[in-house]
Amino acid sequence: MTLIKALQQPQTSKKEKVLLTGGTGFVASHVLDSLATNGHPVVVTVRSEEKGNRLLQSLSHFGASKQVQYAIVPDISTKNAFDSILRDHRFTYVIHTASPYQLSFADPINDCLNPAIKGTTYLLDSIHRLCPSVTRVVITSSSAAIINPPNHRDVYDESSWSDVSWEQAMQPEHTYRASKKFAEQAAWSFLEEHNPRFTIATINNTYTFGPLSRSLANSAKFSSAEVNTSNRRIWDLIHGKWRNPDGSAFIPSTAPVFTFVDVRDVADAHLAALTAPGQRYYTVGGFFSNYQIARIVDEEFKGVLGGDVLPDLKGQADDFEEDKHWKFDVSRSEKELGIRYRGLRESVRDAVVSMLEFEKGTAFN
């Protein structure tokens, strides 16, 4: 039985109800912020009661909990996992963010590919069978489903698909990007084969920086392990991991990805895609390098963090060479979704501020 619980009873709202999967994830947390701010009643799926309660507690700090419930879905790759939720609610929109994300998987099929692919197709099937009120499903895909390292196009846009194969997916270093490609392709194939009442849009975001997930705030269990993968480099920097014992810099190579986007822009893209044309949306805020991140943090936070934390950047070179790098075209997301992308400085600065607040337990106090 699916457990659904709310901090307070949802109030009547004229806004459309939304099902949001993967509710405690980095992107989903900010999507939830946008939905709650815009007055949408939301049912969020989480994997445990503890995660759901943490989420509701964090939302209560700014009075957004009245419109939010959570439902426990322990395993999204289980067939019919969403059935009871879809029977019990009249949703207009579904935003599917739940998918495994890490750099390596011991068991590529069961740890990553099945949850990503089956989690998507099983959800679409359940919506098709049980919730005729749904008109749009927005799926969090990835730039990993678009780009083709190391044989890059001159310019990437939504017309590009990764050429990673199923055989390559068995190699742990390729598993994640394969999961995003095959899960997204499965979604478009479902649309073509079943002709459901709903349409689909995908958000193909690149490395995503910005403020941490709200669900981590004021938690005694908050730790660096809960920082999302993209932001982990910023966390390491402000905790002295890019500084050698003599104070000199040890800046990791930025390759293979030199593009970023702010998580708040990704969240806004999801919200706008609920009513925009049903298609792919490539979301990129700009280029970055680890050297540029270190420079920004040095300029913005050296006085706060102290002289024994940040590396000495004197003599360090930037490994990003714009004239030799492929380009990106995000005019569709700018035009159709109205996104005005934040710059790297704002994204990094706000990420650091949130990390310092969360670590001190002062976030939202």
Side-chain angles (χ1 to χ4, degrees):
M1 180 179 294
T2 301
L3 173 65
I4 297 181
K5 188 172 182 179
L7 190 65
Q8 300 182 35
Q9 289 298 314
Q11 296 178 340
T12 302
S13 171
K14 295 181 180 180
K15 289 280 190 175
E16 301 88 348
K17 181 176 280 191
V18 181
L19 171 63
L20 173 63
T21 72
T24 58
F26 180 49
V27 169
S29 171
H30 289 272
V31 171
L32 181 57
D33 283 357
S34 294
L35 290 170
T37 298
N38 283 275
H40 287 278
V42 185
V43 175
V44 184
T45 69
V46 296
R47 287 183 294 174
S48 68
E49 185 171 7
E50 184 227 350
K51 287 180 178 290
N53 286 335
R54 282 177 62 182
L55 183 64
L56 292 179
Q57 182 182 19
S58 66
L59 288 169
S60 70
H61 286 281
F62 75 121
S65 58
K66 294 180 181 180
Q67 295 290 87
V68 179
Q69 297 173 287
Y70 72 78
I72 297 174
V73 179
D75 183 0
I76 64 171
S77 64
T78 301
K79 195 169 185 177
N80 305 326
F82 297 95
D83 281 13
S84 61
I85 305 168
L86 292 165
R87 285 194 190 99
D88 294 343
H89 295 270
R90 184 179 175 83
F91 296 109
T92 302
Y93 304 126
V94 175
I95 300 178
H96 181 49
T97 74
S99 189
Y101 179 28
Q102 58 193 59
L103 297 180
S104 181
F105 296 88
D107 183 345
I109 292 178
N110 292 317
D111 291 346
C112 184
L113 292 164
N114 277 348
I117 299 168
K118 291 184 178 180
T120 298
T121 55
Y122 287 165
L123 172 61
L124 295 178
D125 179 68
S126 293
I127 297 168
H128 182 45
R129 290 185 291 105
L130 300 171
C131 203
S133 57
V134 172
T135 60
R136 168 60 57 84
V137 179
V138 176
I139 299 171
T140 309
S141 186
S142 171
S143 64
I146 288 180
I147 65 174
N148 283 306
N151 302 312
H152 290 290
R153 292 171 53 166
D154 291 336
V155 180
Y156 283 110
D157 60 15
E158 290 84 357
S159 67
S160 174
W161 281 92
S162 167
D163 61 3
V164 65
S165 67
W166 186 261
E167 290 72 26
Q168 287 177 303
M170 298 303 106
Q171 303 169 27
E173 65 270 24
H174 296 300
T175 303
Y176 170 74
R177 67 189 186 100
S179 76
K180 300 307 288 188
K181 171 191 173 178
F182 293 127
E184 187 185 343
Q185 287 184 334
W188 292 115
S189 294
F190 184 94
L191 202 68
E192 183 176 345
E193 293 169 11
H194 297 277
N195 192 28
R197 289 169 294 272
F198 56 83
T199 54
I200 290 173
T202 66
I203 305 301
N204 296 75
N205 51 296
T206 183
Y207 275 16
T208 305
F209 302 146
L212 298 182
S213 166
R214 187 191 305 279
S215 63
L216 302 181
N218 299 303
S219 170
K221 294 186 177 181
F222 173 69
S223 70
S224 61
E226 296 185 277
V227 176
N228 65 293
T229 305
S230 296
N231 264 337
R232 190 72 55 79
R233 70 189 66 213
I234 301 174
W235 175 275
D236 287 346
L237 170 63
I238 68 172
H239 287 83
K241 294 186 179 181
W242 290 11
R243 176 188 171 96
N244 289 317
D246 63 358
S248 62
F250 173 70
I251 299 179
S253 170
T254 311
V257 178
F258 289 85
T259 53
F260 85 96
V261 66
D262 188 280
V263 67
R264 293 161 294 188
D265 295 332
V266 176
D268 290 344
H270 281 77
L271 205 66
L274 294 175
T275 54
Q279 52 194 351
R280 305 177 90 197
Y281 293 99
Y282 189 25
T283 55
V284 182
F287 293 112
F288 84 98
S289 69
N290 287 339
Y291 172 84
Q292 292 170 18
I293 289 176
R295 176 64 67 189
I296 290 169
V297 173
D298 184 76
E299 292 170 355
E300 297 278 349
F301 295 99
K302 191 169 187 176
V304 175
L305 296 170
D308 59 347
V309 174
L310 299 178
D312 182 358
L313 298 177
K314 185 177 180 179
Q316 293 295 313
D318 191 341
D319 62 355
F320 174 62
E321 300 177 273
E322 186 168 3
D323 59 334
K324 297 181 181 180
H325 200 276
W326 51 264
K327 311 301 181 186
F328 57 86
D329 178 359
V330 293
S331 56
R332 177 185 287 180
S333 62
E334 292 175 325
K335 179 181 179 181
E336 301 289 350
L337 304 182
I339 305 300
R340 297 295 177 262
Y341 288 102
R342 290 170 171 83
L344 181 63
R345 181 173 294 270
E346 180 181 358
S347 190
V348 171
R349 182 184 63 233
D350 292 353
V352 173
V353 169
S354 75
M355 290 174 187
L356 296 177
E357 290 179 341
F358 279 38
E359 196 170 21
K360 293 177 182 177
T362 59
F364 310 113
N365 284 349

